[in-house]
mmCIF file of all heavy atoms in Angstrom:
data_model
loop_
_atom_site.group_PDB
_atom_site.id
_atom_site.type_symbol
_atom_site.label_atom_id
_atom_site.label_comp_id
_atom_site.label_asym_id
_atom_site.label_seq_id
_atom_site.Cartn_x
_atom_site.Cartn_y
_atom_site.Cartn_z
ATOM 1 N N GLN B 192 -6.522 53.139 252.602
ATOM 2 C CA GLN B 192 -6.437 54.334 253.482
ATOM 3 C C GLN B 192 -6.340 55.546 252.565
ATOM 4 O O GLN B 192 -7.047 56.570 252.812
ATOM 5 C CB GLN B 192 -5.217 54.227 254.278
ATOM 6 C CG GLN B 192 -5.120 53.255 255.470
ATOM 7 C CD GLN B 192 -3.976 53.243 256.279
ATOM 8 O OE1 GLN B 192 -2.743 53.228 255.675
ATOM 9 N NE2 GLN B 192 -3.996 53.150 257.538
ATOM 10 N N ARG B 193 -5.455 55.505 251.648
ATOM 11 C CA ARG B 193 -5.249 56.624 250.807
ATOM 12 C C ARG B 193 -6.416 56.981 250.017
ATOM 13 O O ARG B 193 -6.815 58.245 249.784
ATOM 14 C CB ARG B 193 -3.966 56.338 249.754
ATOM 15 C CG ARG B 193 -3.555 57.502 248.980
ATOM 16 C CD ARG B 193 -2.294 57.080 248.281
ATOM 17 N NE ARG B 193 -1.195 57.196 249.004
ATOM 18 C CZ ARG B 193 -0.091 56.416 248.931
ATOM 19 N NH1 ARG B 193 -0.139 55.258 248.001
ATOM 20 N NH2 ARG B 193 0.953 56.596 249.617
ATOM 21 N N GLN B 194 -7.318 56.055 249.511
ATOM 22 C CA GLN B 194 -8.436 56.430 248.786
ATOM 23 C C GLN B 194 -9.496 57.137 249.704
ATOM 24 O O GLN B 194 -10.010 58.126 249.224
ATOM 25 C CB GLN B 194 -9.099 55.075 248.269
ATOM 26 C CG GLN B 194 -10.436 55.217 247.716
ATOM 27 C CD GLN B 194 -11.142 53.870 247.489
ATOM 28 O OE1 GLN B 194 -10.651 52.784 247.570
ATOM 29 N NE2 GLN B 194 -12.461 53.879 247.374
ATOM 30 N N LEU B 195 -9.558 56.709 250.976
ATOM 31 C CA LEU B 195 -10.457 57.443 251.856
ATOM 32 C C LEU B 195 -10.069 58.777 252.289
ATOM 33 O O LEU B 195 -10.801 59.723 252.343
ATOM 34 C CB LEU B 195 -10.639 56.438 253.122
ATOM 35 C CG LEU B 195 -11.270 55.068 252.919
ATOM 36 C CD1 LEU B 195 -11.309 54.261 254.303
ATOM 37 C CD2 LEU B 195 -12.844 55.147 252.441
ATOM 38 N N GLU B 196 -8.705 58.824 252.403
ATOM 39 C CA GLU B 196 -8.171 60.135 252.819
ATOM 40 C C GLU B 196 -8.308 61.236 251.652
ATOM 41 O O GLU B 196 -8.605 62.441 251.814
ATOM 42 C CB GLU B 196 -6.747 60.040 253.050
ATOM 43 C CG GLU B 196 -6.550 59.290 254.440
ATOM 44 C CD GLU B 196 -5.101 58.815 254.702
ATOM 45 O OE1 GLU B 196 -4.295 59.185 253.867
ATOM 46 O OE2 GLU B 196 -4.913 57.980 255.631
ATOM 47 N N ARG B 197 -8.105 60.846 250.414
ATOM 48 C CA ARG B 197 -8.220 61.696 249.223
ATOM 49 C C ARG B 197 -9.769 62.024 249.030
ATOM 50 O O ARG B 197 -10.091 63.160 248.601
ATOM 51 C CB ARG B 197 -7.658 61.086 247.981
ATOM 52 C CG ARG B 197 -6.060 60.988 248.081
ATOM 53 C CD ARG B 197 -5.529 60.339 246.899
ATOM 54 N NE ARG B 197 -3.936 60.509 247.004
ATOM 55 C CZ ARG B 197 -3.156 59.834 246.075
ATOM 56 N NH1 ARG B 197 -3.619 59.102 245.209
ATOM 57 N NH2 ARG B 197 -1.862 60.028 246.356
ATOM 58 N N ASN B 198 -10.687 61.094 249.261
ATOM 59 C CA ASN B 198 -12.036 61.326 249.123
ATOM 60 C C ASN B 198 -12.509 62.389 250.254
ATOM 61 O O ASN B 198 -13.305 63.269 249.873
ATOM 62 C CB ASN B 198 -12.862 60.049 249.294
ATOM 63 C CG ASN B 198 -14.283 60.206 249.205
ATOM 64 O OD1 ASN B 198 -14.750 60.866 248.245
ATOM 65 N ND2 ASN B 198 -15.056 59.715 250.110
ATOM 66 N N ALA B 199 -12.016 62.224 251.436
ATOM 67 C CA ALA B 199 -12.329 63.258 252.456
ATOM 68 C C ALA B 199 -11.829 64.627 252.077
ATOM 69 O O ALA B 199 -12.509 65.544 252.416
ATOM 70 C CB ALA B 199 -11.735 62.778 253.737
ATOM 71 N N TYR B 200 -10.671 64.674 251.406
ATOM 72 C CA TYR B 200 -10.271 65.886 251.007
ATOM 73 C C TYR B 200 -11.064 66.639 250.081
ATOM 74 O O TYR B 200 -11.352 67.831 250.099
ATOM 75 C CB TYR B 200 -8.808 65.733 250.248
ATOM 76 C CG TYR B 200 -8.190 66.885 249.757
ATOM 77 C CD1 TYR B 200 -7.426 67.847 250.676
ATOM 78 C CD2 TYR B 200 -8.204 67.228 248.380
ATOM 79 C CE1 TYR B 200 -6.817 69.054 249.974
ATOM 80 C CE2 TYR B 200 -7.549 68.338 247.823
ATOM 81 C CZ TYR B 200 -6.839 69.276 248.591
ATOM 82 O OH TYR B 200 -6.230 70.340 248.074
ATOM 83 N N VAL B 201 -11.672 65.863 249.078
ATOM 84 C CA VAL B 201 -12.567 66.404 248.094
ATOM 85 C C VAL B 201 -13.829 66.871 248.798
ATOM 86 O O VAL B 201 -14.473 67.823 248.538
ATOM 87 C CB VAL B 201 -12.834 65.539 247.049
ATOM 88 C CG1 VAL B 201 -13.972 65.969 245.978
ATOM 89 C CG2 VAL B 201 -11.601 65.151 246.143
ATOM 90 N N MET B 202 -14.287 65.912 249.702
ATOM 91 C CA MET B 202 -15.645 66.239 250.390
ATOM 92 C C MET B 202 -15.433 67.483 251.378
ATOM 93 O O MET B 202 -16.524 68.277 251.575
ATOM 94 C CB MET B 202 -16.018 65.012 251.388
ATOM 95 C CG MET B 202 -16.377 63.804 250.528
ATOM 96 S SD MET B 202 -16.723 62.464 251.736
ATOM 97 C CE MET B 202 -18.338 63.044 252.436
ATOM 98 N N GLY B 203 -14.326 67.782 251.804
ATOM 99 C CA GLY B 203 -14.048 69.007 252.647
ATOM 100 C C GLY B 203 -13.924 70.329 251.797
ATOM 101 O O GLY B 203 -13.760 71.360 252.428
ATOM 102 N N GLY B 204 -13.861 70.169 250.552
ATOM 103 C CA GLY B 204 -13.671 71.395 249.712
ATOM 104 C C GLY B 204 -12.331 71.456 249.026
ATOM 105 O O GLY B 204 -11.946 72.502 248.457
ATOM 106 N N SER B 205 -11.548 70.467 249.167
ATOM 107 C CA SER B 205 -10.173 70.391 248.432
ATOM 108 C C SER B 205 -9.190 71.396 248.943
ATOM 109 O O SER B 205 -8.441 72.052 248.163
ATOM 110 C CB SER B 205 -10.336 70.511 246.932
ATOM 111 O OG SER B 205 -11.117 69.402 246.439
ATOM 112 N N ASN B 206 -9.339 71.814 250.195
ATOM 113 C CA ASN B 206 -8.358 72.771 250.773
ATOM 114 C C ASN B 206 -7.888 72.410 252.126
ATOM 115 O O ASN B 206 -7.539 73.247 252.984
ATOM 116 C CB ASN B 206 -9.174 74.139 250.910
ATOM 117 C CG ASN B 206 -10.495 74.046 251.675
ATOM 118 O OD1 ASN B 206 -10.814 72.981 252.208
ATOM 119 N ND2 ASN B 206 -11.246 75.175 251.732
ATOM 120 N N TYR B 207 -7.891 71.110 252.548
ATOM 121 C CA TYR B 207 -7.636 70.549 253.807
ATOM 122 C C TYR B 207 -8.605 70.721 254.870
ATOM 123 O O TYR B 207 -8.400 70.352 256.013
ATOM 124 C CB TYR B 207 -6.254 70.947 254.308
ATOM 125 C CG TYR B 207 -5.169 70.468 253.363
ATOM 126 C CD1 TYR B 207 -4.514 71.375 252.518
ATOM 127 C CD2 TYR B 207 -4.825 69.230 253.331
ATOM 128 C CE1 TYR B 207 -3.585 70.867 251.551
ATOM 129 C CE2 TYR B 207 -3.792 68.699 252.375
ATOM 130 C CZ TYR B 207 -3.150 69.485 251.532
ATOM 131 O OH TYR B 207 -2.188 69.147 250.716
ATOM 132 N N ASP B 208 -9.840 71.335 254.568
ATOM 133 C CA ASP B 208 -10.927 71.330 255.547
ATOM 134 C C ASP B 208 -11.414 69.916 255.587
ATOM 135 O O ASP B 208 -11.296 69.251 254.556
ATOM 136 C CB ASP B 208 -12.070 72.400 255.129
ATOM 137 C CG ASP B 208 -11.697 73.801 255.289
ATOM 138 O OD1 ASP B 208 -10.515 74.126 255.757
ATOM 139 O OD2 ASP B 208 -12.475 74.698 254.728
ATOM 140 N N ALA B 209 -12.042 69.609 256.686
ATOM 141 C CA ALA B 209 -12.489 68.225 256.919
ATOM 142 C C ALA B 209 -14.006 68.134 256.698
ATOM 143 O O ALA B 209 -14.716 69.128 257.181
ATOM 144 C CB ALA B 209 -12.058 67.646 258.218
ATOM 145 N N PRO B 210 -14.552 67.094 256.134
ATOM 146 C CA PRO B 210 -15.957 66.942 256.076
ATOM 147 C C PRO B 210 -16.496 66.567 257.480
ATOM 148 O O PRO B 210 -15.942 65.853 258.245
ATOM 149 C CB PRO B 210 -16.155 65.768 255.027
ATOM 150 C CG PRO B 210 -14.862 64.964 255.202
ATOM 151 C CD PRO B 210 -13.838 65.936 255.476
ATOM 152 N N ALA B 211 -17.769 67.137 257.803
ATOM 153 C CA ALA B 211 -18.268 66.941 259.177
ATOM 154 C C ALA B 211 -19.725 66.895 259.071
ATOM 155 O O ALA B 211 -20.456 67.436 258.064
ATOM 156 C CB ALA B 211 -17.835 67.978 260.090
ATOM 157 N N GLN B 212 -20.409 66.269 260.134
ATOM 158 C CA GLN B 212 -21.782 66.209 260.131
ATOM 159 C C GLN B 212 -22.211 65.863 261.598
ATOM 160 O O GLN B 212 -21.582 65.274 262.386
ATOM 161 C CB GLN B 212 -22.313 65.040 259.261
ATOM 162 C CG GLN B 212 -23.733 64.859 259.064
ATOM 163 C CD GLN B 212 -24.282 63.813 258.111
ATOM 164 O OE1 GLN B 212 -23.469 62.918 257.817
ATOM 165 N NE2 GLN B 212 -25.362 64.003 257.529
ATOM 166 N N MET B 213 -23.481 66.519 261.929
ATOM 167 C CA MET B 213 -23.959 66.251 263.262
ATOM 168 C C MET B 213 -24.427 64.755 263.375
ATOM 169 O O MET B 213 -24.985 64.264 262.316
ATOM 170 C CB MET B 213 -25.057 67.227 263.661
ATOM 171 C CG MET B 213 -24.625 68.672 263.927
ATOM 172 S SD MET B 213 -26.001 69.732 264.513
ATOM 173 C CE MET B 213 -27.098 69.623 263.156
ATOM 174 N N VAL B 214 -24.320 64.229 264.591
ATOM 175 C CA VAL B 214 -24.757 62.810 264.683
ATOM 176 C C VAL B 214 -26.226 62.633 264.352
ATOM 177 O O VAL B 214 -26.615 61.618 263.589
ATOM 178 C CB VAL B 214 -24.556 62.386 266.112
ATOM 179 C CG1 VAL B 214 -25.249 61.042 266.452
ATOM 180 C CG2 VAL B 214 -23.053 62.237 266.397
ATOM 181 N N GLY B 215 -27.185 63.545 264.723
ATOM 182 C CA GLY B 215 -28.572 63.390 264.519
ATOM 183 C C GLY B 215 -28.819 63.394 262.913
ATOM 184 O O GLY B 215 -29.586 62.473 262.434
#
């Protein structure tokens, strides 16, 4: 869990923004 959450933090810009993508 922690590994995925920290990876998402980096993917989002390391400022608590979340990574996102359109389904298509």
Side-chain angles (χ1 to χ4, degrees):
Q192 288 178 320
R193 186 173 278 145
Q194 173 193 338
L195 297 174
E196 293 163 9
R197 290 178 174 175
N198 180 52
Y200 178 79
V201 174
M202 291 179 68
S205 299
N206 58 358
Y207 296 107
D208 289 354
Q212 189 174 23
M213 288 189 298
V214 165

